[in-house]
Amino acid sequence: MRYAQLTLISLCIVSAASAAMAKDKEAAKPMDPQAMMEVYAKLAAPGEQHKQLASLAGSWATKTKEWTDPNKPPVESAGSAEMKVLLDGRFLQQELTGQMMGQPFSGIEMTAYDNLLKRYVTSWMSTMGTGIFMMEGAASADGKTITLTGQHPEPGGGFMKHRAIWTIVDSNTQTFDMYGTHPGGKEWKIMETAYTR
């Protein structure tokens, strides 16, 4: 009896695995080159998300609060940001200058909406390091709130996880709130920046 049950279970597992492998083979089936080029052409065209990013191009004044300790008041500073659209409306570049941890600071961010992945992707480089910090995420139904997640390595080992909420309030106001979680710790707010023009 047990042998029959074991045999039946084994056959079910093999059948399920075979079906999954067949599905994978279908998904991996090569596309006709002409059809693939047509798909790529559609994916390369800027859409509504790109128009929204383009609407942010211009000069912005920034006010930033940063917390190095969740139990202490934030350090406040002012700065400026220049945003411009690149490659015929496909990407938004931000050049930000100000202060961070009491030191002069400058950074460059690239923001994209990836039509294939259907999500926002950002990369950030600054005078605070030599690495490139990446985040990605999705927008709310109205497209005004974009939630991004990412992580960066810490000097003592492990990774600090990040969650950011970017809110496009109106054509002259946006906010960027960043939260962080050290390995084994609780999430806390580490920065907020208000943009106005």
Side-chain angles (χ1 to χ4, degrees), residues 64-124:
T64 299
K65 294 180 182 178
E66 54 177 315
W67 288 262
T68 54
D69 183 326
N71 302 311
K72 292 182 180 175
V75 175
E76 299 186 35
S77 62
S80 62
E82 290 293 325
M83 297 187 184
K84 65 181 178 181
V85 178
L86 303 178
L87 299 175
D88 302 322
R90 290 174 175 81
F91 304 94
L92 180 69
Q93 176 183 293
Q94 173 184 185
E95 291 189 45
L96 188 138
T97 57
Q99 289 197 333
M100 187 69 65
M101 298 184 199
Q103 300 295 318
F105 168 84
S106 59
I108 298 173
E109 179 184 49
M110 297 293 293
T111 300
Y113 180 78
D114 189 315
N115 286 334
L116 176 60
L117 300 177
K118 299 193 182 323
R119 60 181 172 249
Y120 291 85
V121 181
T122 67
S123 62
W124 179 256

Side-chain angles (χ1 to χ4, degrees), residues 12-26:
C12 288
I13 290 170
V14 168
S15 296
S18 296
M21 284 171 36
K23 236 181 193 182
D24 284 348
K25 282 183 182 176
E26 283 177 29

